[in-house]
Amino acid sequence: MTETLLQVRDLKKHFPITGGVLGKKVGDVKAVDGLTFDVKKGETLGLVGESGCGKSTTGRLLLRLLDPSEGSVLFENKEITSLSKEELRRLRREMQMVFQDPYASLNPRHTVEKILEEPLIVHGIGNKTERKKRVQEILEVVGLSSYHAKRYPHQFSGGQRQRIGIARALMTKPKLIIADEPVSALDVSIQSQVLNLLEDLQNEFGLTYIFIAHDLGVVRHISDRVGVMYLGRIVELTTSEKLYAKPLHPYTEVLLSAVPVPDPEMRKEAALLEGEIPSPSNPPKGCAFHTRCHACMDICKQTRPELKEVEEGHFVACHLFN
Ligand code: SF4
């Protein structure tokens, strides 16, 4: 059986809202409101949802770039929510992040060599010669050349900059990479090159990915399993195959109907999502999706559906399947 790398249990992040002259707490933005899932070694879990669903906050909580309000995150059976700063610094070597906007995340005043060397210096890995050698190796791994080491971020195209972002994440030989919308800022033609690179690297180094995206089309081919998020919670979680062939949650159905299909025969009428995503500071009572759901029943307005396994390996939070 494949080993579990990450176990997330009832993870929450509530940001307090303050008001009045005394700055008293008047409410909470429930950015992440009770996530439970596992990630197996070597798999890619896609996390998908509209902007404001809490997927990027989730990525930051898993790396403990943010402290959770409640819940547990076990990485290789070690609880990371209670680690000291020093323990966390050591663990970060194993868990890295690739960001959406490679330009904003690369220091424009540093050469690629300096950018790539930095994680090794932070973690005290290798001497100067060894670090330079690793920079050369990694540039080749991500499809760049050794002469690129002396250049600055502005001298590269968007796709090349994302390759540098991926190279930086790989420098410490991590086990887990959280990629937060890594191809959203790129042209469609470049997106597939970067996705292919991520897949090749996974096969070569046995990496585990959490791939965050707002579009189900992007995560389809790279993800083994996909979790669909709505207002800080997972509403459906299953294998890519099952999710795309037979989505069960009404929200997933709507998201999927918006994904372009190459074969016109297979094309379905795109269902439009009614209204805006409600504010996470004031989520609807009961099922958070009930204000936009075509199948809403009385119970949906009163009782929140829990995420349940309705078929083997297929979890859904919806009263239609209770
Ligand atoms: Fe729609 Fe009710 Fe299911 Fe929510 S619980 S998705 S409102 S049918």
Side-chain angles (χ1 to χ4, degrees), residues 249-250 287 289-290 293 295-296 300 305 318-320:
H249 197 282
C287 170
F289 186 58
H290 86 253
C293 179
C296 178
C300 308
C318 174
H319 290 303
L320 291 172

Side-chain angles (χ1 to χ4, degrees), residues 175-205:
K175 292 177 180 157
L176 173 69
I177 289 188
I178 297 182
D180 187 2
E181 303 262 12
V183 297
S184 314
L186 305 176
D187 288 348
V188 178
S189 56
I190 310 294
Q191 285 187 358
S192 55
Q193 288 177 20
V194 173
L195 290 174
N196 289 341
L197 171 67
L198 286 168
E199 274 186 311
D200 291 347
L201 295 172
Q202 182 170 46
N203 294 334
E204 195 169 340
F205 302 114

Side-chain angles (χ1 to χ4, degrees), residues 64 82-92:
R64 241 193 89 191
S82 54
L83 291 183
S84 67
K85 269 193 178 161
E86 180 49 30
E87 288 170 316
L88 202 54
R89 193 186 65 79
R90 268 184 267 137
L91 186 80
R92 290 243 168 85

Side-chain angles (χ1 to χ4, degrees), residues 2-63:
T2 323
E3 264 176 87
T4 301
L5 184 71
L6 194 74
Q7 287 169 277
V8 180
R9 296 290 175 266
D10 207 18
L11 188 66
K12 294 184 184 171
K13 181 65 186 176
H14 295 177
F15 295 98
I17 308 168
T18 52
V21 275
L22 296 174
K24 271 193 171 170
K25 186 180 152 190
V26 292
D28 281 305
V29 173
K30 293 174 179 158
V32 172
D33 199 25
L35 289 185
T36 294
F37 60 88
D38 289 347
V39 185
K40 304 251 180 286
K41 270 190 184 156
E43 85 163 330
T44 298
L45 175 72
L47 283 182
V48 182
E50 289 168 280
S51 100
C53 73
K55 55 194 190 298
S56 291
T57 306
T58 303
R60 281 160 174 76
L61 289 172
L62 299 181
L63 291 182

